[in-house]
């Protein structure tokens, strides 16, 4: 379906404890942040035992004594960080800055050991959200925090907005509001078959932007993981421009003041979809990723998702015949 940000109306419902564990992994650590948790654990272990983790020497060139020196510095830097790193990018920047005078092979080896981003893959992004609406924006709204399980792929997710807040509900298309009320009534009557059918109707409405690889394509899984890193557990600011030829809403998406499309392009996990957006900044951000050969641009000739979908839809039609 391409780059779609779907939305649902209603109150935000927290998952059950079992669901939380399933989505977050063991000990409440999400899959995308496991490297950050592992580094924090090893620093805590080093503080107690003065021992560096086993297996690190396979990734670096310096001695155990030198490795212990790194962990002393990293432990001090981690304590001084306010707040401490929470994302792979934040942890990688702390490591790079703390060990900037050490050998490049050691720094990159340490990052690789924890599965953290390497220096050339880290990108600079817009520091703040725009103070005024871009030209052509019809309206904007805020979402509830994004549930990582609701992220379908590198450019599609389901988000929730509040129907009890008139500032948000007034921006939701009337057909979606009506469907949300009908779904609530069906659930109250325990008619879950009808409620599920209405739910499917609701998620057909969406917001479109850049185009990322499909899950089945090369780098599709990585694109989904990257989007999850950016938006999970956070509220989004959505600036809606209008409706495309398929009835989907064209929009810019901001997360904590960061332009989501910008990060996905700069990290090499999306294409600039010129047919829908001709802003020169998007072309420039894609070129930066191409020049660095990061993400899908590590391949010399990555297949475009719209061409892949066209070919696969054709193949499916031939198979049905």
């Amino acid at each position: 379906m391409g780059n779609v940000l779907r939305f649902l109306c209603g109150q935000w419902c927290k998952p059950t404890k079992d669901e939380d564990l399933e989505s977050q992994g063991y000990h409440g650590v999400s899959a995308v942040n496991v490297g950050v948790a592992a580094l924090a654990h090893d620093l805590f272990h080093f503080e107690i035992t003065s021992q560096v983790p086993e297996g690190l020497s396979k990734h670096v060139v310096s001695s155990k004594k030198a490795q212990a020196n790194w962990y002393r510095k990293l432990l001090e830097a981690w304590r001084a960080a306010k707040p401490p790193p929470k994302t792979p990018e934040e942890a990688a920047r702390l490591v790079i800055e703390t060990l900037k005078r050490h050998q490049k092979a050691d720094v990159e080896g340490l990052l690789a050991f924890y599965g953290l981003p390497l220096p050339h893959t880290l990108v600079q992004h817009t520091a703040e959200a725009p103070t005024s609406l871009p030209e052509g924006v019809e309206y904007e709204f805020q979402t509830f925090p994004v549930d990582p399980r609701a992220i379908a792929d590198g450019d599609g997710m389901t988000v929730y907005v509040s129907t009890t807040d008139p500032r948000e509900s007034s921006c939701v298309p009337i057909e979606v509001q009506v469907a949300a009320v009908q779904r609530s009534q069906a659930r109250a009557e325990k008619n879950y078959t009808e409620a599920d059918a209405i739910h499917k109707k609701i998620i057909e409405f969406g917001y479109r932007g850049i185009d990322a690889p499909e899950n089945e394509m090369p780098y599709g899984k990585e694109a989904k993981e990257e989007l999850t890193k950016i938006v999970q557990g956070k509220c989004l600011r959505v600036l809606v421009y209008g409706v495309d030829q398929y009835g989907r809403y064209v929009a810019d998406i901001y997360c904590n003041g960061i332009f989501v499309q910008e990060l996905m392009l700069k990290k090499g996990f999306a294409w600039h979809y010129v047919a829908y957006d001709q802003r020169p900044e998007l072309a420039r951000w894609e070129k930066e990723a191409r020049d660095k050969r990061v993400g899908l641009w590590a391949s010399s000739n990555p297949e475009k998702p719209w061409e892949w979908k066209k070919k696969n839809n054709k193949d499916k039609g031939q198979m049905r015949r």
Side-chain angles (χ1 to χ4, degrees):
M1 188 172 178
N3 279 4
V4 179
L5 173 60
R6 305 182 180 105
F7 63 86
L8 299 177
C9 304
Q11 299 293 331
W12 175 253
C13 297
K14 293 184 178 180
T16 64
K17 292 183 178 179
D18 290 341
E19 290 173 331
D20 279 337
L21 292 175
E22 181 181 353
S23 66
Q24 296 180 0
Y26 294 109
H27 308 302
V29 179
S30 65
V32 294
N33 288 330
V34 66
V36 182
L39 176 57
H41 172 272
D42 289 346
L43 290 174
F44 176 73
H45 185 261
F46 177 81
E47 183 178 23
I48 298 173
T49 66
S50 298
Q51 298 295 313
V52 299
E54 291 294 329
L56 178 60
S57 294
K58 296 179 181 179
H59 292 76
V60 300
V61 297
S62 293
S63 65
K64 288 273 190 179
K65 182 178 180 180
Q67 294 171 31
N69 184 39
W70 306 340
Y71 277 76
R72 277 191 289 272
K73 292 181 178 180
L74 289 172
L75 180 59
E76 182 178 346
W78 194 282
R79 285 173 169 172
K82 305 293 183 184
K86 294 181 179 179
T87 68
E89 287 79 7
E90 291 171 351
R93 292 184 193 280
L94 181 141
V95 170
I96 293 167
E97 179 62 26
T98 303
L99 304 181
K100 60 185 177 182
R101 299 185 183 278
H102 293 264
Q103 295 186 62
K104 179 181 178 181
D106 283 329
V107 175
E108 293 189 351
L110 182 63
L111 293 171
F113 179 69
Y114 289 106
L116 299 175
L118 297 177
H120 74 280
T121 67
L122 294 173
V123 300
Q124 297 295 324
H125 52 75
T126 304
E128 299 178 353
T131 56
S132 60
L133 297 180
E135 183 179 355
V137 170
E138 296 181 359
Y139 57 84
E140 69 171 289
F141 65 85
Q142 304 283 339
T143 75
F144 280 114
V146 176
D147 186 338
R149 293 168 301 168
I151 299 172
D153 52 31
D155 54 18
M157 72 183 86
T158 300
V159 297
Y160 290 76
V161 298
S162 173
T163 54
T164 62
D165 186 340
R167 294 171 299 179
E168 308 304 335
S169 61
S170 63
C171 294
V172 177
I174 186 63
E175 54 267 48
V176 179
Q177 295 190 49
V178 171
V181 172
Q182 292 173 341
R183 178 175 180 267
S184 296
Q185 291 175 343
R187 290 184 64 84
E189 297 169 0
K190 297 185 178 181
N191 187 348
Y192 298 115
T193 301
E194 178 67 15
D196 289 344
I198 297 172
H199 177 85
K200 291 180 180 179
K201 178 181 177 182
I202 292 173
I203 65 174
E204 290 175 356
F205 299 90
Y207 291 82
R208 187 171 182 81
I210 55 174
D211 210 355
E214 297 297 305
N215 286 333
E216 298 82 3
M217 295 177 64
Y219 295 97
K221 179 181 178 181
E222 290 83 353
K224 177 181 177 180
E225 290 175 348
E226 187 59 41
L227 181 61
T228 302
K229 291 178 188 177
I230 297 170
V231 304
Q232 69 170 337
K234 302 182 181 73
C235 298
L236 304 179
R237 181 189 185 202
V238 182
L239 308 180
V240 182
Y241 290 90
V243 181
D244 70 9
Q245 60 181 320
Y246 302 106
R248 295 173 297 198
Y249 291 83
V250 183
D252 283 351
I253 304 166
Y254 288 85
C255 179
N256 287 348
I258 297 171
F259 188 22
V260 174
Q261 285 99 313
E262 177 184 355
L263 275 189
M264 293 297 288
L265 285 168
K266 284 185 173 181
K267 293 192 174 190
F269 290 115
W271 276 260
H272 172 207
Y273 205 172
V274 182
Y276 287 94
D277 198 323
Q278 299 181 12
R279 284 176 289 183
E281 302 97 309
L282 275 66
R284 185 175 71 251
W285 296 333
E286 180 186 292
K287 184 177 184 302
E288 288 180 18
R290 283 176 178 263
D291 292 343
K292 292 180 179 180
R293 302 189 68 83
V294 295
L296 60 91
W297 304 115
S299 172
S300 59
N301 188 29
E303 187 174 13
K304 298 177 177 64
W306 53 90
E307 294 178 353
W308 182 90
K309 283 179 283 191
K310 183 179 179 180
K311 181 180 69 176
N312 280 269
N313 288 337
K314 180 180 179 182
D315 292 344
K316 290 177 181 177
Q318 291 173 343
M319 290 173 63
R320 283 193 291 271
R321 289 196 293 270

